[in-house]
Amino acid sequence: MEFSEKLQLLRKQNNLTQEQLAAQLYVSRTAVSKWESGKGYPNIDSLKCISKLFGVSIDELLMGEELITLAEDENRRNLEQIFNLAYGIFDFIAVSFLVLPLFTQEEGGHFLSVPFFKFTDNPIWGILLSAGFILCLTLIGIIELIVQMKDHETLRKRMNQFSLLVHSMAVLFFIAFRQLYVAAFLFLLLMGKVVLLIKGPAR
């Protein structure tokens, strides 16, 4: 008997609806429905709760292959969380550009490295666009971290794609604007994102 069938049988034997079972396991009814339809497995913590609730062992709930699949899925999800957290942090780091002396401007015949709030001797359009890219990347980073906590996969993937686009545009803008320190810093962060996409779990 598959896990989905065992769970459904145990639930009905205990006169529980999917909503009631979900409440006792602190998960959504959709999650219980997915488990009972064979479209997924609970995580280790939920599996332990199911075992305790119905007074059965984990070995009785899952066959060997199912347990291996569950462990692999759990490991993949944990890696995804770590990589996605790093992805959001890479964008949020852009807020540090407001205080780090990465911007170059000429003063008294010399070129000085100054933080953004002292970056005044430049065209207003350049200053506004610089601020726009910094704030946009910071906001994207915040949204990515929130989405990660909410575990919304579709929105997370779209935000990651949008992040790559904005990040690439920012690198090109700062190169054209001759702010090479900022461009180099952003380029390193962009390469970090690319490494996460290539080396990380399937996204």
Side-chain angles (χ1 to χ4, degrees), residues 9-200:
L9 180 61
L10 287 168
R11 176 177 62 79
K12 290 179 177 178
Q13 286 176 345
N14 286 268
N15 297 315
L16 294 172
T17 64
Q18 288 186 343
E19 290 84 354
Q20 291 170 331
L21 177 58
Q24 295 198 41
L25 298 176
Y26 302 101
V27 298
S28 66
R29 189 203 64 79
T30 306
V32 174
S33 176
K34 184 173 71 173
W35 300 340
E36 290 190 355
S37 61
K39 295 179 180 177
Y41 293 98
N43 60 30
I44 298 295
D45 290 335
S46 294
L47 191 62
K48 289 178 181 177
C49 289
I50 293 170
S51 172
K52 184 177 180 181
L53 178 64
F54 294 127
V56 295
S57 68
I58 292 177
D59 288 338
E60 291 179 84
L61 289 171
L62 290 174
M63 296 183 296
E65 290 182 3
E66 290 178 317
L67 196 55
I68 291 172
T69 300
L70 174 62
E72 289 175 346
D73 289 345
E74 185 89 352
N75 186 52
R76 180 183 55 80
R77 282 194 297 266
N78 289 338
L79 283 174
E80 282 182 353
Q81 288 179 350
I82 293 171
F83 277 79
N84 292 329
L85 184 64
Y87 207 92
I89 290 173
F90 281 172
D91 282 321
F92 185 72
I93 285 175
V95 74
S96 66
F97 293 178
L98 297 175
V99 293
L100 291 178
L102 296 174
F103 290 86
T104 304
Q105 68 179 16
E106 187 176 1
E107 290 185 13
H110 297 86
F111 287 96
L112 302 176
S113 294
V114 298
F116 181 76
F117 65 88
K118 290 186 178 180
F119 184 57
T120 55
D121 190 22
N122 284 276
I124 187 66
W125 62 267
I127 295 174
L128 290 176
L129 281 174
S130 297
F133 276 116
I134 291 171
L135 295 177
C136 188
L137 284 171
T138 302
L139 182 60
I140 290 173
I142 293 172
I143 294 173
E144 284 174 322
L145 293 174
I146 293 173
V147 170
Q148 170 62 23
M149 289 188 291
K150 297 292 184 180
D151 197 25
H152 196 301
E153 184 176 354
T154 303
L155 182 57
R156 173 181 57 77
K157 287 182 178 179
R158 289 178 181 172
M159 285 304 303
N160 287 354
Q161 292 168 353
F162 182 61
S163 166
L164 279 175
L165 175 63
V166 173
H167 207 134
S168 300
M169 290 172 61
V171 171
L172 293 175
F173 165 74
F174 283 111
I175 290 174
F177 195 43
R178 296 184 180 180
Q179 293 301 320
L180 300 184
Y181 292 145
V182 181
F185 202 133
L186 281 173
F187 181 76
L188 290 175
L189 293 176
L190 181 61
M191 289 301 97
K193 289 182 182 180
V194 172
V195 170
L196 289 179
L197 286 173
I198 296 173
K199 299 292 185 180

